[in-house]
Each structure stands twice: as C-alpha cells, then as structure tokens.
C-alpha cells in the first residue's frame, strides 16, 4: 500500500520550522526505529519512503510528512511513532512535540493505476507545488531546474522498483511522456538545502503542465503525477527534499 502520513509539530517558543530541517528529522526518525531497520535503509540506494517538514499555510501549522511505498516501510517507520510524543533534535538541542498522526492518503499501485485507466476521461494536465527544495542529478552533477524528463524518470524508477504487479516499462515510454507534456505556467525560485554539512542547490515554487497526445498516454501522465506526493521527486527524498503536492486537472 501507498500511504501518506502527516504529523502536526509543536515547535519550542521562538523557533520555527524550515524545510531544510528535513535531514534533522530523518536522523531523529532513524534513532527511534529498530536499529536493524535503520541499518537496512542506510545501505539502500532507493528507499521505499520519503519524508519532509514544511509549513502549511492553510492549516497554519508545521507538519511532518512521511510517504511510504510499501506496507513494510509503513510498519517500520510510521507505526513506531505511535508511542513517541516528542522528537529530540540533537543538532538543534531542543524537543519538538508530535501531534496526532493523520493518514491523509492511502491507495495501492493497482488502485492508483485503475483510477486513471477506468476514469471517464483522461486528465488534461497537472499542477506541481514544491513543499521542499527539489533538485536532480544527471551525469554526476546536480540539476537545479525541474525538467519534466528528470521528473518522470524519477517517478518511473520508484514505480517500477516498488510496484509488485503493475509495471510501467513500455519501450520509449519516457520519451513519449516527455514529448506529450508541455509546461504552460510556472513560478520558481532557486533555493539551497543543507544535508550533513553539504549544500545542495535546487528550486522551490510551482509549475503547471498540460498533457496532449493519445488518451492512454495522458492517463499515464496522471498516474505519475498522483504518485509524486507519496514518493517525492528527485534526489534526497528520504532526507527532506523533493516533497510535492499535485493537482490533476
């Protein structure tokens, strides 16, 4: 199952949340779960979860978001938080109180695919809102501007790695997706994200893409856009980067 969990955060007085704190929260999370789980995830190149912290303007609250792509990841990462009332952030030297856990999204790879394949009409496009800094890596270098090819490549990789049944591996699928998706609006700004003393450059903001081409291709674009909030996009999604919300149009 794909699950998207959010936990309200109560920060100490005179402190505030910042998306770059995602790596700090990840460290705190690894100290809570079973040592064997933390060791296993440490050695995984592509992890079955994403997490980030951000400020939600609508709820006027700091939130900790954890997306899990397998039942095992949910059980290893999220279930242990039921018994944890607060997180000690070692780097900040203060404690953050955790509010009631909220499951804001739940589906399966099969149901997600079926939702778009069986819909009366194909989606016309999607809007992508960055909740934390997004960046990509290509040919050993970071790419700070979101590129739809890199976005789709990231999502296809996660889908085909963690979906046990439905696979999206058709020949030239990535090329077809990219050539039938057009950027129509955007508002982006450069931003930096600190991870273990290193600075990664990326961007924040929002984008709108329109889909065109044959019917099933647009449905596949919708499927990938719907996956993004659970999986995150780009590099370091387990450490707080690449968190997004998407609206399918």
């Amino acid at each position: 199952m794909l699950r998207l969990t959010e936990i309200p955060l109560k920060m100490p007085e005179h402190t505030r949340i910042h998306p770059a704190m995602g790596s700090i929260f990840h460290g705190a999370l690894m100290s809570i779960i079973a040592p064997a789980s933390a060791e296993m995830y440490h050695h995984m190149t592509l992890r079955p979860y994403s997490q980030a912290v951000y400020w939600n303007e609508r709820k006027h609250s700091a939130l900790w978001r954890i997306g899990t792509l397998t039942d095992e990841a949910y059980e290893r990462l999220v279930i242990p938080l039921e018994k944890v009332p607060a997180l000690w952030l070692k780097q900040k030297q203060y404690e953050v109180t955790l509010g009631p856990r909220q499951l804001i999204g739940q589906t399966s790879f099969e149901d997600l695919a079926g939702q778009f394949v069986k819909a009366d009409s194909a989606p016309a496009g999607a809007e992508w809102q960055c909740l934390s800094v997004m960046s990509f890596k290509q040919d050993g270098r970071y790419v700070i501007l979101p590129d739809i090819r890199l976005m789709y490549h990231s999502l296809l990789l996660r889908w085909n790695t963690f979906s046990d049944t439905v696979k999206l591996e058709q020949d030239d699928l990535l090329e077809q997706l990219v050539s039938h998706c057009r950027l129509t609006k955007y508002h982006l700004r450069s931003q930096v994200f600190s991870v273990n003393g290193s600075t990664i450059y990326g961007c924040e903001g929002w984008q709108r893409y329109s889909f065109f081409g044959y019917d099933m291709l647009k449905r596949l674009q919708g499927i990938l856009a719907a996956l993004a909030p659970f999986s995150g996009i780009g590099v370091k999604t387990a450490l707080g980067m690449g968190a997004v919300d998407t609206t399918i149009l």
Side-chain angles (χ1 to χ4, degrees):
M1 292 293 288
L2 302 164
R3 295 180 176 89
L4 193 60
T5 305
E6 286 193 339
I7 302 170
L9 303 173
K10 184 178 180 182
M11 307 293 292
E13 192 174 0
H14 305 307
T15 65
R16 65 184 184 89
I17 200 73
H18 188 278
M21 293 173 66
S23 60
I24 298 175
F25 274 75
H26 182 263
L29 177 61
M30 291 298 106
S31 71
I32 290 170
I33 66 175
S37 296
E39 181 68 14
M40 178 184 69
Y41 289 134
H42 177 71
H43 292 287
M44 293 179 72
T45 302
L46 191 65
R47 303 177 197 181
Y49 66 92
S50 63
Q51 66 83 35
V53 294
Y54 74 103
W55 179 261
N56 187 297
E57 289 289 352
R58 181 174 59 84
K59 296 181 179 180
H60 201 68
S61 173
L63 297 175
W64 187 17
R65 171 178 287 197
I66 305 174
T68 50
L69 304 181
T70 65
D71 290 333
E72 182 185 45
Y74 183 78
E75 292 164 4
R76 288 177 181 269
L77 296 168
V78 181
I79 294 299
L81 291 172
E82 290 181 347
K83 300 179 180 179
V84 178
L87 280 184
W88 172 253
L89 303 184
K90 184 178 180 181
Q91 292 92 326
K92 295 292 185 180
Q93 288 296 297
Y94 59 66
E95 190 175 72
V96 177
T97 302
L98 304 183
R101 189 182 62 187
Q102 301 167 0
L103 187 63
I104 65 170
Q106 178 173 292
T107 186
S108 67
F109 287 100
E110 296 84 354
D111 289 345
L112 186 57
Q115 172 189 341
F116 285 91
V117 171
K118 297 175 183 178
D120 292 337
S121 60
E127 290 186 356
W128 306 70
Q129 175 69 52
C130 296
L131 304 180
S132 64
V133 180
M134 180 191 300
S135 187
F136 302 87
K137 209 165 190 180
Q138 187 176 46
D139 299 327
R141 296 182 178 183
Y142 286 109
V143 178
I144 67 173
L145 278 175
D147 178 282
I148 195 63
R149 179 185 298 277
L150 298 177
M151 292 165 66
Y152 279 155
H153 179 267
S154 173
L155 292 167
L156 284 170
L157 183 61
R158 285 164 169 80
W159 182 288
N160 291 321
T161 298
F162 298 111
S163 174
D164 293 327
T165 53
V166 181
K167 299 291 185 179
L168 304 178
E169 298 175 323
Q170 299 92 326
D171 291 342
D172 297 326
L173 177 57
L174 180 58
E175 295 301 325
Q176 290 291 320
L177 291 168
V178 171
S179 62
H180 291 87
C181 185
R182 181 182 295 114
L183 179 65
T184 56
K185 284 187 177 183
Y186 68 91
H187 186 274
L188 298 169
R189 58 190 176 276
S190 61
Q191 188 57 273
V192 296
F193 193 97
S194 297
V195 178
N196 299 326
S198 299
T199 298
I200 298 175
Y201 291 87
C203 70
E204 290 181 335
W206 63 269
Q207 308 167 79
R208 179 184 296 173
Y209 288 89
S210 63
F211 306 152
F212 57 98
Y214 60 89
D215 184 86
M216 184 52 71
L217 194 60
K218 291 189 285 187
R219 294 176 190 270
L220 289 172
Q221 308 233 33
I223 289 171
L224 292 177
L227 171 67
F230 295 96
S231 67
I233 304 177
V235 300
K236 310 293 185 185
T237 53
L239 300 181
M241 295 186 69
V244 298
D245 272 337
T246 55
T247 302
I248 315 300
L249 305 174

